[in-house]
Amino acid sequence: KWKGEGTTQNLESIVIGRCYDYIRIVNPAVGEKNCSQIWEAFKNAFINKDPCSILPKDYELFINLTLHTIPPNKSLFWENNQLLVNSFADRGRRYMSLGDTLFGFFGDFLNWCGQADSPGLDYESCPTTMECENNAVESFWRMASITYAQHSSGVIHVLLNGSADGGAYPQPGFFADYEIPNLQRGKISKIVIWVVDDIEGPDIDSCGIHSVKTLETRLKTLGYDTTCTDNNK
């Protein structure tokens, strides 16, 4: 079988519950959503298919059913610091990271895959990205990242980890490969980069050097007004 862990137990109950949690408590401003219909669209993206042939576009209906406005100046992109981002964004009250949108909230920290010629989920194992890139979870997050970038506007914030092995701005990476190319130049006034080191962690990368300089150069070449701050108080 595959090397990755299998589908999260009770997946259907978890995600339908998350959908209601989101529209009732986390962010009622998004209005009514049909959570059962959203689950069906999500499931139909990958069941009955070879788990290595799932493409981002297979999640298009799911995305269309969960889509809502991302408020201007609230987008928070990140690499290698998910738990910090979650606490800092404060469930959308301070910023709205991908995990604070309905479509991101739906899938956060879960795992899933189907199997060819079977309507069931595979609870035993799922392919890792090393085994095949076009797996159900990887393609889901690619589609979610593309959508999130396309709908972000105003001042964009990016929180990077200056202690990460391999640099704060990983290439390949979701921000480099799926988010930057899908930002809508005309809707964005400024990009603010924050580089934060882990508490008592190594200071490997900073503004103006190494991979962060690569990122700054790329954004400026694309025509964005860009600033960078290290370990912002």
Side-chain angles (χ1 to χ4, degrees):
K1 293 295 280 184
W2 305 107
K3 293 191 172 75
E5 60 180 90
T7 298
T8 306
Q9 295 288 336
N10 310 106
L11 182 72
E12 179 176 357
S13 301
I14 292 169
V15 297
I16 290 177
R18 282 185 178 185
C19 176
Y20 283 117
D21 186 26
Y22 192 88
I23 65 173
R24 298 287 177 253
I25 297 163
V26 177
N27 189 7
V30 300
E32 273 308 304
K33 301 285 184 186
N34 185 329
C35 293
S36 304
Q37 190 184 13
I38 288 169
W39 157 253
E40 290 299 324
F42 171 76
K43 185 179 67 172
N44 288 335
F46 64 88
I47 60 161
N48 271 320
K49 296 179 190 174
D50 172 354
C52 279
S53 64
I54 314 298
L55 299 173
K57 66 178 174 55
D58 293 333
Y59 288 100
E60 266 174 6
L61 177 57
F62 165 80
I63 290 289
N64 290 340
L65 292 172
T66 53
L67 197 58
H68 57 82
T69 303
I70 297 169
N73 312 318
K74 288 272 196 170
S75 291
L76 178 62
F77 294 85
W78 57 274
E79 288 280 7
N80 295 316
N81 49 24
Q82 184 170 10
L83 298 179
L84 173 62
V85 166
N86 286 358
S87 55
F88 185 50
D90 195 21
R91 277 279 179 267
R93 282 185 280 268
R94 189 179 284 120
Y95 291 99
M96 187 179 282
S97 69
L98 174 53
D100 303 311
T101 65
L102 174 53
F103 49 95
F105 190 78
F106 192 91
D108 230 7
F109 296 110
L110 300 176
N111 207 48
W112 62 87
C113 66
Q115 32 208 336
D117 309 317
S118 161
L121 301 168
D122 190 339
Y123 293 101
E124 298 300 311
S125 65
C126 291
T128 62
T129 301
M130 298 297 285
E131 290 177 287
C132 60
E133 288 202 351
N134 292 331
N135 67 62
V137 174
E138 183 79 8
S139 290
F140 173 90
W141 287 114
R142 286 179 185 169
M143 188 65 183
S145 292
I146 289 166
T147 306
Y148 180 70
Q150 288 171 339
H151 289 85
S152 292
S153 64
V155 179
I156 302 293
H157 297 86
V158 187
L159 189 56
L160 301 177
N161 186 341
S163 299
D165 284 341
Y169 170 58
Q171 293 178 279
F174 277 86
F175 186 55
D177 300 339
Y178 299 100
E179 292 170 340
I180 293 175
N182 285 290
L183 293 172
Q184 306 296 297
R185 177 73 196 86
K187 290 170 30 177
I188 291 167
S189 54
K190 185 179 186 181
I191 298 182
V192 176
I193 303 165
W194 289 315
V195 183
V196 295
D197 298 331
D198 290 337
I199 293 171
E200 297 183 6
D203 177 10
I204 295 172
D205 217 339
S206 303
C207 298
I209 61 168
H210 306 317
S211 74
V212 184
K213 184 176 186 181
T214 305
L215 171 61
E216 291 175 84
T217 303
R218 178 180 180 185
L219 294 175
K220 284 170 181 166
T221 304
L222 289 169
Y224 293 107
D225 175 15
T226 306
T227 64
C228 185
T229 309
D230 282 309
N231 291 319
N232 189 319
K233 286 287 179 284

